[in-house]
């Protein structure tokens, strides 16, 4: 072995050791975050807290905000699929009638009954905590950017036609009207906004769960599934479990119910997390996290383009940014949509590196890709525009992801502020390359 080969091996060894150290550190950070707040294991059902310690980097001298473009998802809400409540209740009710529940199983049945009673006829509705979230977010926005809220400002508020999104919008608007008088605003919930607030793309969705992707995800899911201990703790007859129950499906339902408790008024009174071990909780989160990455992120198993479903939304943001330059008074757009839209938009914009492309579902923690960090309930993305005066040719933009200053994949001499012209050029070119690739692929098929 020559000297060059030895040096190369040493360099590679150091590099791989460093990467391994980063991987372990990232996984440890996520494990610590979930341990510190077990509700984070709910992933996209995690209720975002409105942190009062956000720190805004002072903008370059003379620059002041004049436009805010916000896209957010609904606050905490009752599960919209009533089956999680009713089917789980029915399973435990039948097992109880047959004497198949352990003492813990009977107590869990009692807790499930309380959750069902609390959620009855409220499926998919915003909870009181969700309403408080929306109000707290708008209050914080006003306090962080007071220059934006003046008597001559205009506030446009829109929502998709979805109960919890509309209620989130209205709670925020009520808070705004309580803090800003007079208020020039208009709210609207219309199917007309669906094209960019909840877009559809058959080609992308058809590719989303192809056979290869599903096979790899199923393997990942099975490696992170072990429901035997839980079933043994809840049911006293394992032959009954094997013959009549789908342990995997029931475990998932119980975990989703556990995740939903944090949204309700009985949080602190009832919990279901205690029936799972810390390892089981982590595995359930890993499965959900990987599922969201496959469906809405840059997973290369299905091509790596699922986030491009939000390209119409991002293009609309670019156009609205240009239009706002023509106003000499403050302007704010508040838009409310589903959480997966916010998740995909963050991935498409590659905020804080969440545009990650990999086929290795085991590596997501190592890269810090965690759904509760990107699009929790009440999550949001804001583009905030700055200028020194009307007509300023060098407009700057800052992006907030869930209230924190985000890093963009663009060079800047004043980060976390970025020159608007460069931001617009980067994203429009990114979408152009995708559309061009898609057109060429279609042409080749012909």
């Amino acid at each position: 072995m020559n000297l060059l080969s030895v040096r190369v091996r040493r360099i590679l060894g150091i590099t791989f050791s460093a990467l391994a150290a980063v991987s372990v550190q990232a996984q440890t950070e996520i494990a610590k975050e979930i341990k510190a707040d077990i509700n984070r294991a709910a992933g996209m059902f995690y209720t975002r807290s409105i942190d009062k310690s956000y720190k805004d980097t002072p903008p370059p001298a003379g620059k002041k905000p004049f436009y805010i473009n916000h896209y957010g998802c609904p606050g905490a809400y009752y599960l919209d699929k009533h089956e999680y409540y009713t089917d789980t209740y029915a399973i435990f009710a039948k097992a109880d009638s047959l004497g198949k529940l352990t003492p813990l199983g009977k107590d869990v049945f009692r807790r499930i009954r309380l959750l069902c009673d609390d959620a009855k006829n409220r499926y998919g509705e915003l909870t009181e905590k969700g309403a408080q979230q929306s109000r707290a977010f708008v209050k914080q926005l006003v306090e962080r950017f007071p220059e934006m809220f003046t008597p001559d400002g205009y506030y446009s508020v829109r929502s998709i036609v979805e109960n919890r999104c509309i209620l989130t919008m209205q709670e925020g608007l009520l808070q705004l009207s309580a803090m800003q008088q007079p208020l020039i605003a208009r709210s609207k919930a219309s199917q007309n906004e669906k094209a960019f607030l909840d877009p559809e793309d058959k080609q992308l969705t058809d590719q989303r769960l192809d056979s290869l992707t599903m096979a790899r995800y199923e393997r990942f899911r099975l490696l992170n599934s072990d429901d035997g201990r839980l079933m043994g703790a809840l049911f006293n007859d394992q032959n009954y479990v094997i013959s009549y129950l789908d342990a995997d499906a029931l475990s998932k339902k119980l975990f989703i119910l556990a995740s939903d408790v944090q949204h309700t008024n009985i949080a602190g009174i009832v919990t279901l997390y205690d029936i799972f071990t810390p390892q089981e909780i982590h595995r359930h989160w890993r499965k959900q996290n990987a599922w969201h990455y496959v469906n809405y992120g840059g997973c290369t198993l299905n091509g790596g383009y699922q986030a491009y479903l939000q390209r119409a939304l991002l293009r609309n943001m670019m156009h609205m940014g240009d239009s706002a330059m023509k106003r000499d008074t403050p302007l704010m757009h508040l838009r409310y949509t589903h959480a997966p839209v916010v998740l995909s938009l963050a991935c498409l914009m590659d905020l804080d590196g969440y545009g990650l492309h990999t086929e290795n579902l085991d590596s997501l923690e190592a890269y810090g890709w965690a759904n509760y960090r990107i699009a929790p309930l009440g999550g949001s993305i804001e583009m905030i525009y700055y200028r020194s005066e009307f007509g300023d040719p060098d407009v700057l933009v800052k992006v907030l992801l869930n209230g924190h200053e985000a890093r963009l994949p663009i060079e800047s001499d004043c980060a976390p502020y970025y020159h608007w012209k460069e931001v617009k050029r980067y994203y429009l070119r990114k979408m152009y390359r995708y559309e061009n690739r898609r057109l060429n692929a279609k042409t080749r098929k012909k």
Side-chain angles (χ1 to χ4, degrees):
M1 183 180 296
N2 60 38
L3 182 59
L4 179 60
S5 297
V6 172
R7 287 178 176 173
V8 170
R9 288 169 67 90
R10 285 179 179 173
I11 292 171
L12 288 176
I14 293 171
T15 301
F16 290 139
S17 296
L19 288 174
V22 171
S23 172
V24 171
Q25 182 181 3
Q27 290 175 330
T28 303
E29 286 176 0
I30 288 177
K32 286 181 178 178
E33 286 178 353
I34 293 176
K35 184 178 180 180
D37 183 356
I38 197 171
N39 285 318
R40 290 191 175 108
M44 288 174 67
F45 282 118
Y46 175 54
T47 305
R48 170 193 170 190
S49 60
I50 305 301
D51 193 343
K52 295 182 179 180
S53 63
Y54 296 135
K55 294 182 179 179
D56 288 299
T57 303
K63 301 290 187 180
K64 295 181 180 180
F66 69 95
Y67 173 46
I68 294 179
N69 195 3
H70 159 277
Y71 287 85
C73 52
Y77 62 91
Y78 291 100
L79 296 172
D80 54 347
K81 295 181 179 178
H82 66 84
E83 296 87 358
Y84 286 119
Y85 301 103
T86 55
D87 288 2
T88 310
Y89 177 87
I91 290 170
F92 276 81
K94 182 176 181 180
D96 186 49
S97 70
L98 297 174
K100 302 299 183 181
L101 294 179
T102 64
L104 176 61
K106 288 180 177 292
D107 188 55
V108 169
F109 182 31
R110 175 189 65 82
R111 296 183 232 174
I112 292 171
R113 188 183 299 116
L114 290 174
L115 290 174
C116 289
D117 289 344
D118 183 56
K120 187 176 181 181
N121 297 325
R122 297 174 176 172
Y123 309 123
E125 287 186 10
L126 200 69
T127 65
E128 183 178 334
K129 188 169 186 178
Q132 292 171 351
Q133 270 185 292
S134 183
R135 286 177 172 267
F137 163 74
V138 171
K139 182 175 185 294
Q140 185 186 72
L141 203 62
V142 173
E143 292 171 347
R144 284 179 76 175
F145 306 103
E147 303 95 334
M148 282 295 307
F149 301 92
T150 61
D152 58 352
Y154 181 75
Y155 311 98
S156 173
V157 191
R158 298 284 187 271
S159 169
I160 59 172
V161 183
E162 182 73 50
N163 181 286
R164 55 185 174 268
C165 295
I166 295 172
L167 291 176
T168 300
M169 172 185 74
Q170 292 298 337
E171 291 290 344
L173 189 56
L174 286 171
Q175 179 65 42
L176 182 59
S177 65
M179 300 179 73
Q180 177 63 51
Q181 291 292 338
L183 179 69
I184 305 174
R186 184 188 179 197
S187 65
K188 181 181 178 184
S190 169
Q191 295 288 359
N192 192 47
E193 271 79 31
K194 185 177 175 64
F196 66 92
L197 279 181
D198 188 17
E200 297 177 355
D201 187 317
K202 188 176 186 304
Q203 180 174 326
L204 280 174
T205 51
D206 285 349
Q207 295 170 353
R208 180 174 289 170
L209 300 175
D210 59 26
S211 57
L212 171 63
T213 305
M214 285 306 298
R216 290 285 292 273
Y217 177 77
E218 183 63 14
R219 178 179 179 276
F220 178 85
R221 188 188 68 79
L222 290 173
L223 289 173
N224 286 277
S225 297
D226 185 3
D227 306 305
R229 186 212 61 81
L230 178 62
M231 295 300 108
L234 299 175
F235 302 94
N236 58 28
D237 184 347
Q238 292 311 297
N239 286 327
Y240 177 78
V241 173
I242 294 170
S243 301
Y244 298 103
L245 300 181
D246 183 337
D248 180 73
L250 179 57
S251 180
K252 178 181 177 181
K253 285 186 173 71
L254 287 169
F255 187 77
I256 289 176
L257 286 177
S259 301
D260 189 60
V261 172
Q262 63 185 287
H263 309 151
T264 70
N265 289 329
I266 58 177
I269 301 173
V270 173
T271 183
L272 283 176
Y273 277 132
D274 64 320
I275 70 175
F276 299 94
T277 67
Q279 293 78 15
E280 289 166 349
I281 289 172
H282 193 74
R283 287 172 182 167
H284 274 287
W285 171 78
R286 277 171 58 83
K287 288 185 284 188
Q288 287 191 3
N289 192 56
W291 181 252
H292 291 144
Y293 179 67
V294 166
N295 281 268
Y296 310 115
C299 181
T300 55
L301 290 172
N302 54 20
Y305 293 105
Q306 289 304 314
Y308 280 83
L309 181 60
Q310 308 310 327
R311 63 193 185 280
L313 193 163
L314 183 55
R315 190 176 292 111
N316 182 265
M317 292 172 74
M318 300 300 102
H319 293 327
M320 286 198 292
D322 273 345
S323 297
M325 311 293 175
K326 301 173 185 178
R327 289 186 58 91
D328 58 359
T329 55
L331 171 67
M332 181 169 70
H333 287 113
L334 289 173
R335 303 287 186 260
Y336 294 92
T337 182
H338 296 299
V341 175
V342 175
L343 181 70
S344 285
L345 179 60
C347 293
L348 181 58
M349 296 178 72
D350 197 11
L351 303 180
D352 289 336
Y354 292 129
L356 169 71
H357 290 284
T358 182
E359 64 175 29
N360 185 355
L361 301 180
D362 272 313
S363 70
L364 297 181
E365 284 178 80
Y367 287 111
W369 202 98
N371 49 8
Y372 65 82
R373 291 178 175 179
I374 310 170
L377 293 184
S380 63
I381 294 172
E382 287 90 37
M383 294 189 75
I384 305 173
Y385 294 71
Y386 292 75
R387 65 188 176 193
S388 56
E389 59 184 3
F390 181 71
D392 182 356
D394 185 24
V395 171
L396 301 180
V397 64
K398 175 173 73 173
V399 179
L400 301 182
L401 176 61
N402 301 321
H404 295 281
E405 293 176 339
R407 184 181 74 256
L408 274 60
I410 303 168
E411 291 187 5
S412 174
D413 56 2
C414 53
Y417 297 89
Y418 297 82
H419 298 278
W420 166 242
K421 290 180 180 178
E422 294 178 10
V423 171
K424 182 178 68 171
R425 182 186 303 115
Y426 176 85
Y427 286 126
L428 289 179
R429 284 182 175 179
K430 182 174 184 176
M431 288 182 284
Y432 171 79
R433 287 194 298 269
Y434 171 77
E435 296 289 5
N436 192 47
R437 172 196 164 277
R438 185 158 159 166
L439 179 62
N440 289 339
K442 185 176 180 181
T443 303
R444 284 195 298 269
K445 285 183 179 180
K446 291 182 178 181

